[in-house]
Amino acid sequence: SLTIGCLGDIAAYILPPLVSAFTRLVPGTEVNWVTAAHSSLLERLNDGTIDLALFLDFERLPTFVATELRATPALGVLRPKHPLARRRNIALASLVDEPFILLDIPKTRDYFLSIFASVGIEPRIVHRVRSAEMVRSMVANGFGYSLLNFWPPGHHANDMPVYRPLTDGIPQAHLIAARPLKCRSPQLIQSFLRHAAPLIRSIPFAAAVME
């Protein structure tokens, strides 16, 4: 058996297809999962209640072994009728005077603010929310722009926000699988990771441009 932890905002898009595919490929394997925030996943890895955690590498600790599964670049999130929405990429400086909606959860918040700091600008934070779904809804309804590292597969409706790469040369985050240095069932975990990496790379939750 294997117990996996995953960030709550992305779990719905990667865990069901991942677990379904793996249990078909390795019959007889029981895979359970939990969803939680970054800090809670680290605690559960430490106390042994989960074997593996999937989250973004805003922080890496020496007590864990991390396997990169795919790049998850930060994307500008704009309402569909935003003047810059038709561009293939955007610069943060072109948005800095507009209201910014911050995904205000630990680690994620610091990462997004560090992106602005890395290019020497400060966002005009007007809204702080604790859910990526709320960010997407607020952007789509004209409350401001935001940054996110992924977008849900299949969200191409006209009333959904658009996602554009940034031209600022900012630090790139990655989706990683973290496990303790001394892990339970290491062969099963290695088998899972071999199957997980190509499948996760095929899921378009961090595509560069929405058509």
Side-chain angles (χ1 to χ4, degrees):
S1 66
L2 190 63
T3 302
I4 303 169
C6 187
L7 282 177
D9 274 335
I10 65 175
Y13 310 113
I14 63 175
L15 277 184
L18 185 56
V19 172
S20 176
F22 182 68
T23 52
R24 288 197 305 271
L25 289 167
V26 187
T29 302
E30 177 185 351
V31 180
N32 304 298
W33 68 68
V34 297
T35 62
H38 188 280
S39 58
S40 178
L41 292 176
L42 291 177
E43 291 174 3
R44 294 179 187 216
L45 279 175
N46 272 321
D47 65 24
T49 54
I50 61 176
D51 302 305
L52 195 68
L54 306 180
F55 49 68
L56 303 184
D57 62 345
F58 301 149
E59 177 185 41
R60 296 199 188 188
L61 300 177
T63 52
F64 302 118
V65 177
T67 300
E68 288 187 4
L69 299 176
R70 66 173 294 166
T72 54
L75 306 174
V77 189
L78 307 173
R79 70 184 188 278
K81 294 184 179 180
H82 191 284
L84 301 180
R86 297 181 65 85
R87 296 189 181 182
R88 294 193 65 82
N89 48 55
I90 56 176
L92 279 178
S94 64
L95 296 165
V96 69
D97 293 327
E98 299 187 25
F100 180 66
I101 304 165
L102 176 65
L103 180 57
D104 192 8
I105 54 179
K107 307 300 180 185
T108 302
R109 170 187 59 237
D110 298 337
Y111 167 70
F112 286 139
L113 293 179
S114 74
I115 288 175
F116 286 95
S118 71
V119 294
I121 59 179
E122 185 173 344
R124 186 163 70 88
I125 301 172
V126 176
H127 302 283
R128 295 174 179 263
V129 299
R130 300 183 63 83
S131 159
E133 279 299 318
M134 181 63 78
V135 169
R136 283 188 282 269
S137 180
M138 291 181 71
V139 169
N141 286 280
F143 287 87
Y145 76 100
S146 191
L147 298 178
L148 290 175
N149 290 86
F150 69 96
W151 54 273
H155 280 213
H156 295 271
N158 292 332
D159 60 346
M160 296 301 296
V162 298
Y163 301 76
R164 294 292 179 259
L166 303 175
T167 61
D168 304 271
I170 59 174
Q172 182 161 268
H174 299 82
L175 178 66
I176 63 171
R179 63 193 189 278
L181 287 171
K182 294 182 178 180
C183 58
R184 183 178 67 86
S185 303
Q187 290 184 337
L188 182 59
I189 289 176
Q190 290 295 341
S191 177
F192 182 83
L193 291 174
R194 283 196 301 273
H195 291 97
L199 188 145
I200 285 179
R201 285 194 296 268
S202 73
I203 299 174
F205 66 79
V209 178
M210 280 188 66
E211 299 298 341

